[in-house]
Amino acid sequence: MAIDTTPSQVATSALQALPFGSIIGGPLKAAIEAQAMAAKTSWNFIQEVGLNTDPDTGEKKTINVSFQFVKDGRIAQLNVPLLTIVPIPYIAIQTVDIAFKANISASSSSTTVENKSSTLDAGISGGGGVKVLGLFDIHADFHANYSSKKDSTATQDSKYSVEYTMDVAVKAGQDSMPAGLAKVLELLGNSLDVCDPKGTLEVNALEFKGSPSETFMLIATYKNPEGIFEPEKIQIPGQTGKVDGDSMIFNLEVKEGKPTEYIVGVSGSDKKVIVKTIDTYTDQAEREKARLQREKEDSVRIKKMQDEIAERRKEIDEANSKKLEDERKKQEDEQKKQEKDAEKKNPNQGDAKN
């Protein structure tokens, strides 16, 4: 009896019929879609939280967090991009593990029952018929009967079942930022700026010294409280400037005779700086004249002091001379007195001397 291969064929067909594309591709497709949703979530977070769109121009600008603090005894303002101080959600699927198990059960059974039966009847009967050699007359009658019967019954049962299970394990976590986003955040971090809450106005010099009609270039810059340069707001009454990059440039002329003050201000703000131009030529002449006058006055004062010193020295010398003369006369008078007293005590001593 031949081996029935129906169960193996059924199992093979059932295994081939399994939707491996859906079984394996379905979780992978879902993981890819989830990753795309995570990336879109990061992008939406950056757009909605970290950037602001100008309704007029459509330009996007970073949202800054500004607060004031005390620095070196003064109120300062710090402007920090919001994206640098809040965590950006950047979830990434790291691994996808798919475990698949299929159980195929197939069986087949067959039963065959066969019944056979047959009947054969044969006989010869004679009765006249043919003369042989004129002597005999032979008659023959032949007859035969045959009957056959066959009954067959075949029964075949086939049973099979397919069972499969699938386990999908997905591991996701906060992934490292892309190089481009990291570079952007680095640039934003470097843009941290400490500003004056009223803005910062700076000039390249407070004084310009030169000869009359000489022109000097004043370079002024203004940074508003948000840390943005606004050179077009810088102005000097009576002067016309020109914007050059982040600065406003003015040409200031030195006027003859005395220093000239220019008030550098900012439109819409009380910030101001006073710049002076000084006529050094006239100033030098005045200083030279003043120097000569001082030297003359010093000479007169020194001459007067010298005369006073000489007069005082003369008075001191005369007083010392008179004092010495008085002491000398006093000594002579004292000596004469002593001699007279001695003569009175010993009159003979005087004759002896004679």
Side-chain angles (χ1 to χ4, degrees):
M1 183 176 181
I3 298 174
D4 189 1
T5 60
T6 302
S8 63
Q9 293 176 356
V10 170
T12 302
S13 299
L15 187 62
Q16 292 176 349
L18 290 177
F20 286 103
S22 299
I23 294 173
I24 298 176
L28 292 179
K29 181 180 178 182
I32 294 173
E33 292 176 351
Q35 183 66 68
M37 291 176 62
K40 187 175 181 181
T41 301
S42 299
W43 171 247
N44 290 336
F45 179 86
I46 294 173
Q47 290 282 333
E48 296 174 3
V49 177
L51 300 178
N52 191 15
T53 303
D54 191 333
D56 298 329
T57 63
E59 296 180 353
K60 294 185 179 297
K61 298 180 180 179
T62 58
I63 298 176
N64 291 336
V65 177
S66 301
F67 57 89
Q68 298 181 2
F69 63 99
V70 178
K71 180 181 179 182
D72 299 331
R74 298 181 180 179
I75 298 296
Q77 178 170 309
L78 180 63
N79 300 321
V80 185
L82 181 60
L83 288 177
T84 61
I85 59 176
V86 297
I88 298 176
Y90 195 75
I91 304 299
I93 296 177
Q94 299 170 349
T95 59
V96 178
D97 297 330
I98 301 174
F100 173 75
K101 180 187 294 185
N103 294 324
I104 300 174
S105 176
S107 63
S108 176
S109 63
S110 62
T111 303
T112 302
V113 177
E114 184 176 352
N115 297 320
K116 294 181 180 180
S117 65
S118 61
T119 303
L120 177 62
D121 293 332
I124 301 176
S125 62
V130 181
K131 289 184 178 182
V132 181
L133 299 178
L135 299 179
F136 301 97
D137 185 10
I138 302 172
H139 177 75
D141 187 7
F142 295 90
H143 67 277
N145 293 321
Y146 179 80
S147 177
S148 178
K149 183 179 181 181
K150 181 179 181 181
D151 295 329
S152 297
T153 301
T155 302
Q156 183 174 357
D157 295 331
S158 297
K159 298 180 181 179
Y160 69 92
S161 64
V162 178
E163 296 180 359
Y164 64 88
T165 59
M166 181 174 61
D167 297 329
V168 179
V170 179
K171 183 179 180 181
Q174 182 76 11
D175 199 6
S176 59
M177 288 182 294
L181 180 58
K183 186 64 176 179
V184 170
L185 294 180
E186 180 183 355
L187 293 175
L188 291 177
N190 293 334
S191 67
L192 295 179
D193 193 11
V194 178
C195 304
D196 191 324
K198 296 183 180 180
T200 304
L201 177 62
E202 297 179 347
V203 293
N204 60 329
L206 295 176
E207 290 185 354
F208 296 96
K209 298 179 180 181
S211 58
S213 300
E214 187 175 357
T215 301
F216 291 92
M217 180 182 295
L218 173 68
I219 303 175
T221 58
Y222 171 69
K223 187 183 293 184
N224 65 16
E226 297 179 356
I228 300 175
F229 287 103
E230 293 181 333
E232 65 279 358
K233 290 188 175 182
I234 304 174
Q235 57 187 6
I236 297 178
Q239 300 292 323
T240 301
K242 180 180 67 174
V243 175
D244 185 6
D246 297 330
S247 305
M248 178 71 81
I249 297 178
F250 297 92
N251 292 319
L252 303 182
E253 183 178 359
V254 178
K255 296 182 180 180
E256 183 179 358
K258 61 179 182 179
T260 304
E261 293 185 351
Y262 297 90
I263 300 176
V264 184
V266 178
S267 177
S269 174
D270 59 353
K271 301 290 293 185
K272 66 179 180 179
V273 176
I274 297 178
V275 178
K276 295 181 180 181
T277 58
I278 301 174
D279 177 11
T280 55
Y281 178 82
T282 304
D283 188 55
Q284 287 177 357
E286 292 294 333
R287 286 201 300 269
E288 182 66 18
K289 182 178 179 181
R291 186 183 67 80
L292 294 175
Q293 181 66 25
R294 287 196 303 271
E295 289 181 354
K296 182 178 179 180
E297 292 176 355
D298 292 342
S299 177
V300 172
R301 186 169 59 254
I302 292 172
K303 181 67 170 59
K304 183 178 179 181
M305 290 176 61
Q306 289 176 346
D307 292 343
E308 290 177 353
I309 292 172
E311 183 68 22
R312 180 60 178 166
R313 185 173 295 171
K314 182 179 179 181
E315 291 177 356
I316 293 173
D317 291 341
E318 290 178 351
N320 290 334
S321 297
K322 183 178 180 183
K323 184 177 179 180
L324 291 174
E325 183 65 23
D326 293 340
E327 290 180 353
R328 186 182 64 80
K329 289 182 177 180
K330 184 177 179 180
Q331 289 177 357
E332 289 180 353
D333 293 340
E334 184 69 25
Q335 185 177 0
K336 288 180 179 180
K337 183 179 179 182
Q338 291 177 357
E339 291 178 353
K340 288 181 179 180
D341 293 339
E343 289 178 356
K344 289 179 179 180
K345 292 179 180 182
N346 188 4
N348 297 327
Q349 186 176 356
D351 295 337
K353 288 182 179 180
N354 294 330

